[in-house]
Amino acid sequence: MSELRRDPITGRWIVLTPEHTRRPSDFIPAPEPPPSSAVCPFCEGHESMAGIELLSWRAEGTSANGPGWQVRVIPNREPILRVEAAHALPGQQVFQTLEGLGAHEVIIETPRHDETLSTMTREKLFCVLWAWRERMRDLKRDGRLRQFVVVKNHGALAGARQQHAHSQLIAMPLVPNVIRHEQASAERYHERTGACVFCDVIQYEQEANRRVIATDDLAISLCPFAPRMPFETWVLPRAHAAAFEDADNTLLTAITDRLQDALKRIDATLLVPAFNVILHTASIGDERSASYHWHLELLPRLQAVGGVELATGTWVNAVPPEEAADALRAAAAV
Amino acid sequence: MSELRRDPITGRWIVLTPEHTRRPSDFIPAPEPPPSSAVCPFCEGHESMAGIELLSWRAEGTSANGPGWQVRVIPNREPILRVEAAHALPGQQVFQTLEGLGAHEVIIETPRHDETLSTMTREKLFCVLWAWRERMRDLKRDGRLRQFVVVKNHGALAGARQQHAHSQLIAMPLVPNVIRHEQASAERYHERTGACVFCDVIQYEQEANRRVIATDDLAISLCPFAPRMPFETWVLPRAHAAAFEDADNTLLTAITDRLQDALKRIDATLLVPAFNVILHTASIGDERSASYHWHLELLPRLQAVGGVELATGTWVNAVPPEEAADALRAAAAV
C-alpha cells in the first residue's frame, strides 16, 4: 500500500510507493531496448495485457476488453493511490502520514502505437477529453476524494515510461501544494478585486494580443506572461468555469481544437519535442468557485530541471513568451 | 538585461534571460561532442577564458588570475541576475516585473578536470564551502539583496552544462517561492510550539535512528522523512543556526566531513549518479531567526521530473527513506 507523507519542514506531501520495488541497481541506466509494438500492452488486440477497462469509446457491436475501441481507460498497474485504502486524517504530530487513498487510472488515447495527440483527428482527440471528464464524473461519487489532476507525459524527458500515447487521471485525498498555492493566490486576487484572475488575464491578453496563439468564441491558447519553460502554452475556456468535469460537449470541442492546434504548432516549431500536458481544475466541492478557472498547461521539455529550479521554484527561461507566441503563430498547424 | 516576472495567477516568479539568445533550433538535440579538457575554461591554465576572479584560495606566491589556485570564484558569463540592475519595487498591477538585480557567480571547485566533490581531499572540499561563505559575506554589503542560494548541478540529468566541477552562488532581490514556503511553514511550527522544526526533527531522528546516515558532535546527515527523490539526503548543523554565512571554520569542517561522506556513499550505492546539491539558508536580515535552520540538500537525479510532480508538487518516490538510509549506511565511504 502506498503512503502519503507530509514533510514536517515544508509542509510538502509526497507519495511513497514501496510496492514498486526499486533497488539501487534499478536506477543505473541501461541501454533502451528498441521500441516494439509487438509487446505493447496498450495496442489494440492486447487488451488483456493492459487490464480490465473502466470506460471505453468503442464501435457499435464490439465488446468490452476486446478490439474496436478508440479510447480505453484502465486502472494503473502501478497505482500511486488506490480507492481501497482506508482514509486516516492527518494528526498534529511532527511526522504526518496518510494512507494512499485515491485513484490512478490510465487513459489509452489511441489503439495505434504510432498515433499521437497531434497526429490523430480532432474527433479522436475529443474522445480523450471526453474520457477524462466521464471518469471524473464517475469517481466523484466517492466522497473521500478532494482533487483531480490529469497529466500526460510524452517522451522520456517528460517522464514517460510507455511510448504508446496515454494520459493519467489521478484522484487525491488532499489538495497538493502546487494546486493549493495556485488556488490561494487566485483567491487573494478575488478578495482584492472581486474578479477571477484567469478571466482578467484572458481579457488583458486578448486586448494586448502579444501572447495569444489562437482564439475562438469559447477557448483561447496563449503563452503565459511568466512561463516556466520555453514555449510553455496554456489553453483555457474564455468564459469563467471552475471545474473541467462540468464542461459540455460544445466547450470540450472548442478546447480540443485549441489544444490540437497548439500541439501541432509546438511540434512544427520544436521538431516534435517531449512534453507534458497538465489539467488543473477546481477541487472537488469547489466547482462553483468564483476565483478558480480550469485550464490546460502544455510544457515542452527541452532542458533538464536543474538545481536553481529545485532550490528556489524560480524557473530560468531564455525565451520571452512574446517571442514564443510569435514563433508558434508563424508555425504551420497542419 | 534579465527580468524577473511574477505569474499573476500563482504568484510564482521566473527569471527571463533573453540575452541568452535561444532560437527554437537551439533546443533540438545534437550529439554531444566528446569531453575535452583542452578547451575547458575552468581548467588550471585557462584562467583568462573563465573570467576575472572575485576570490580564490591559492598557493603563496601565485598571482590572481593565473595558475596555483585550489578554488576560484568568477562572475557567471551568462548571469541570470546582475548587481548593475536598478531595483524597481513590484507594483500591484496584474503583471509584475522587476529588473534582474542580484548576483550570479561560479565557484570553480577544483583546478583539475577529473576531480569531483567526492574524490577531492576533505581539505579541498572545505575550500569550496569556505568560498561560498566568503562570497556571501562580501555580497551582503549590497543592501538590496534578500536571499542567497547555492546550487550545484553535477551531470547533464541534473542540469549541468559544464562537466568541470563547479557550483553557483545566486543572490536574489526577493525570497523565491520554495524558500518562502519553507520559511513560512517553519515559522508556523515555531509559533505553535516555540521550537525550531529542524531542531526537533534532528532530535527525533537521532533518537529513532531509522534515517540517520552519520553524525558527529556538530553535524548530521540523514534521509528526510518525506523525500522527493530516491536517496535524497540532507546535511545539517546539529545546533540551531539560521545563516550559513555565520558558520565558523570548525562547523564548516564538520559539515564538509558529513557532505563528503554522504557523496561517497551515494556514489558507491548508485554508481556515481547525476546529482544536485542545494544550500538553503536564512534570508538576508533574518540571520537570527529562531525558526529557520540552514542545511544542504543532496538530490540524486535518477529519473526525469514528470507531469505529476510539475502539476501537483507531490513527488512520487518508490524508495522509503528508511531503506535508502540502510543502503547508504552499508555502502563503503572510501
Side-chain angles (χ1 to χ4, degrees), chain A residues 7-52:
Chain A
D7 179 62
I9 290 159
T10 58
R12 184 169 50 211
W13 289 89
I14 65 143
V15 188
L16 211 52
T17 57
E19 53 200 7
H20 310 168
T21 313
R22 303 267 190 273
R23 286 156 304 183
S25 58
D26 294 334
F27 294 105
I28 293 157
E32 296 242 356
S36 159
S37 79
V39 297
C40 175
F42 291 175
C43 279
E44 188 167 27
H46 299 176
E47 289 77 12
S48 62
M49 288 172 69
I52 299 295

Side-chain angles (χ1 to χ4, degrees), chain A residues 5 9 225 280 301 305 311, chain B residues 5 9 185 225 280 301 305 311:
Chain A
R5 287 193 178 190
I9 290 159
F225 172 73
H280 272 177
R301 300 296 298 276
V305 177
Chain B
R5 287 192 179 190
I9 290 159
S185 180
F225 170 73
H280 272 177
R301 298 297 297 276
V305 177

